[in-house]
Amino acid sequence: MGLVVQKFGGTSVANIEKIKNVANKAIREKNSGHDVLVVLSAMAGETNRLIDLAHSAADSPDEREYDSLISTGEQVTITLLSIVLNSMGYRSRSFLGFQIRILTDNAYKKARISLIDTDAIQKELRKGTIVVVAGFQGVDEDNNITTLGRGGSDTSAVALAAALNAERCDIYTDVDGVYTTDPNICAKARRLDKISYDEMLEMAMTGAKVLQPRSVEMAKKYDVPVYVKSTFSDEGGTLVTKEDQEMEREVLSGITYDRDQAKITVVHIPDKPGIAANLFMPLSERNISVDMIIQNASTQGYTDLTFTVSKKDMKEAQKIVEATAKEIGAKKVEVDDEVARISIIGVGMVSHSGVAAKMFKTMADESINIMMISTSEIKISCVIQRKYTELAVMVLHDAFHLEKKNK
Ligand code: ADP
Ligand code: ASP
Ligand code: MG
């Protein structure tokens, strides 16, 4: 039998009792004959606590030190799990990113894994050890500790599963699978037995935080079967895998939301070639990602341009855009940080007409104003006022009959 990678999130390792439960899950897999590698997050709330500490020490903490600090939560959980496993008579060794060498680039807070040296792990696995690895962290070429972005332990787990050619990667969390929408805000959400990599990627990128987008990208690239399961029950589960015939019949697989959005409008810009480049180049230089963009048709030589950024980037983006707006002769810059993005996702959209119209009509019936729209082959997103987020999710879930299988 091959290797199984198990990843447990923050709520699954929130205290010693829960860590003992994780130990039992690892032992069960081991006793079934598999090699076992466990990837852990920090205890629930710990990474947030460390981030707050960093910001209480300085307004803009040095990035190298910041990543070293916020990666420490995982050292606590992996060592505790190994202590528990050893005390139960199972050999276990914990590893931090640099001890294995999970090599990343140097982009602090959002580093990308470039290479994993599997020697140390394989040596331990051959001895029958349950290997426990810290999620969320790596090391760059100059031995600086890096972190992989919030929710990055999912990516650590899938990357290790790919590098070690694991049979599967089990992501254990506080829900028992991937649902048609966040089960914590919509009671009618339905668990999906299977979802394609592409749909899962769109769901993750538009706000379903159950898997970090990069973990899905990586699972697709290396063909790793990913199972999302509950830490607290043996029921349920969702398989994230290649698209198949059965999946294609569904019009929508899910609805997602992202409350972490802000909208910036540059008003009355003299309409000339190069305006968009002038506005967006300085933002990309500061690593600020822009999501949706709308430029109005030009009237009498002037145009308006609206775009969204993540709420945490809004202040910085506003400063940069105000400076550019002055240079290019725009009238003013307006910001709105009370917005959210609602998205509907489904590969079936390609072959069904009227999906967009139904989405817009459903929101109109609830007097929810749509401020921006963007579409891709398998996704439609709308920006709305944030206070309508839950309502929009619920009425769309009903309108598309997601509580039942939809054809
Ligand atoms: P962990 O700490 O285990 O990594 P996360 O909080 O990162 O867990 O992800 C699990 C959470 O994702 C769930 O508690 C749920 O609220 C949220 N979520 C959002 N959308 C979905 C969805 N479509 N299906 C399942 N969970 C979702
Ligand atoms: N502990 C990290 C976070 O809170 C990584 C993770 O949970 O996946 O973002
Ligand atoms: Mg997570």
Side-chain angles (χ1 to χ4, degrees):
M1 273 202 232
L3 170 73
V4 172
V5 173
Q6 302 182 314
K7 178 258 166 177
F8 294 87
T11 45
S12 312
V13 292
N15 55 41
I16 294 292
E17 249 358 271
K18 290 188 172 158
I19 290 177
K20 285 182 178 165
N21 173 51
V22 168
N24 285 324
K25 288 224 178 292
I27 288 170
R28 193 165 73 182
E29 201 62 66
K30 179 83 188 145
N31 288 345
S32 78
H34 284 107
D35 284 337
V36 179
L37 185 150
V38 183
V39 175
L40 297 185
S41 295
M43 289 183 182
E46 178 62 7
T47 309
N48 285 342
R49 190 184 73 86
L50 294 165
I51 289 173
D52 289 347
L53 264 181
H55 288 289
S56 65
D59 287 342
S60 320
D62 178 85
E63 292 192 316
R64 177 184 185 275
E65 305 311 319
Y66 177 93
D67 267 21
S68 283
L69 172 67
I70 70 165
S71 69
T72 56
E74 276 72 10
Q75 183 164 0
V76 173
T77 50
I78 59 167
T79 45
L80 283 172
L81 177 63
S82 276
I83 288 172
V84 170
L85 284 165
N86 283 309
S87 75
M88 291 170 81
Y90 288 81
R91 181 183 157 87
S92 176
R93 289 289 177 269
S94 70
F95 291 91
L96 293 164
F98 77 87
Q99 290 176 304
I100 299 168
R101 280 219 124 216
I102 298 182
L103 194 69
T104 71
D105 60 20
N106 185 241
Y108 293 118
K109 297 184 193 174
K110 52 180 163 204
R112 275 182 178 270
I113 297 175
S114 46
L115 193 80
I116 297 182
D117 183 348
T118 57
D119 284 357
I121 296 174
Q122 263 159 347
K123 211 163 125 198
E124 286 298 336
L125 290 174
R126 278 196 295 273
K127 290 185 197 161
T129 309
I130 298 180
V131 175
V132 185
V133 178
F136 182 50
Q137 59 175 263
V139 64
D140 74 4
E141 272 179 348
D142 299 320
N143 280 331
N144 300 303
I145 292 169
T146 54
T147 62
L148 310 180
R150 298 309 304 271
S153 301
D154 299 329
T155 303
S156 310
V158 175
L160 283 158
L164 291 154
N165 227 332
E167 243 172 52
R168 54 173 217 271
C169 181
D170 292 343
I171 305 282
Y172 286 93
T173 182
D174 57 0
V175 287
D176 67 353
V178 179
Y179 279 71
T180 47
T181 192
D182 185 348
N184 286 324
I185 73 157
C186 178
K188 289 186 190 165
R190 174 172 53 88
R191 188 179 52 76
L192 303 164
D193 291 328
K194 268 192 202 177
I195 183 168
S196 69
Y197 291 124
D198 289 332
E199 284 174 305
M200 189 64 238
L201 186 59
E202 286 285 5
M203 286 193 54
M205 288 200 307
T206 54
K209 66 177 182 148
V210 61
L211 288 175
Q212 199 198 35
R214 274 187 200 162
S215 71
V216 186
E217 244 166 41
M218 197 160 315
K220 181 182 176 186
K221 185 165 172 197
Y222 297 101
D223 221 345
V224 180
V226 172
Y227 288 85
V228 178
K229 301 178 179 183
S230 164
T231 307
F232 309 109
S233 131
D234 287 332
E235 305 294 310
T238 299
L239 170 62
V240 188
T241 183
K242 277 191 216 145
E243 193 175 314
D244 69 23
Q245 298 271 306
E246 211 178 298
M247 293 171 182
E248 272 174 49
R249 273 182 263 129
E250 305 259 343
V251 179
L252 289 195
S253 52
I255 298 172
T256 56
Y257 63 90
D258 184 354
R259 288 197 183 94
D260 173 40
Q261 295 277 307
K263 181 166 75 76
I264 300 182
T265 304
V266 189
V267 182
H268 209 66
I269 316 166
D271 197 7
K272 295 198 279 252
I275 282 170
N278 282 336
L279 276 168
F280 295 122
M281 288 284 284
L283 292 174
S284 82
E285 276 158 19
R286 291 295 306 150
N287 257 326
I288 296 176
S289 318
V290 170
D291 180 31
M292 285 195 212
I293 303 174
I294 292 181
Q295 184 176 347
N296 291 346
S298 159
T299 46
Q300 290 160 356
Y302 289 92
T303 184
D304 294 346
L305 200 139
T306 303
F307 60 93
T308 56
V309 293
S310 156
K311 212 167 64 176
K312 69 172 178 3
D313 290 333
M314 194 196 78
K315 287 236 159 70
E316 195 181 350
Q318 183 181 0
K319 240 194 245 161
I320 295 170
V321 171
E322 275 170 352
T324 319
K326 227 183 225 164
E327 277 167 32
I328 61 178
K331 196 165 159 191
K332 60 177 173 179
V333 176
E334 289 171 351
V335 296
D336 180 355
D337 65 354
E338 289 296 318
V339 298
R341 187 188 55 213
I342 303 287
S343 309
I344 62 174
I345 287 114
V347 287
M349 253 183 227
V350 182
S351 52
H352 286 77
S353 57
V355 177
K358 189 168 178 176
M359 180 183 194
F360 306 152
K361 172 83 170 61
T362 304
M363 301 231 261
D365 288 346
E366 296 294 328
S367 304
I368 300 173
N369 187 34
I370 300 173
M371 301 168 178
M372 299 173 84
I373 299 168
S374 85
T375 62
S376 77
E377 253 200 335
I378 66 167
K379 178 194 74 183
I380 305 168
S381 299
C382 296
V383 172
I384 61 170
Q385 270 183 290
R386 186 170 308 129
K387 63 180 179 191
Y388 293 127
T389 309
E390 275 95 349
L391 176 64
V393 167
M394 272 178 304
V395 293
L396 288 168
H397 201 271
D398 278 347
F400 286 99
H401 303 294
L402 285 176
E403 73 282 7
K404 296 193 224 96
K405 284 214 159 202
N406 55 103
K407 297 241 161 115

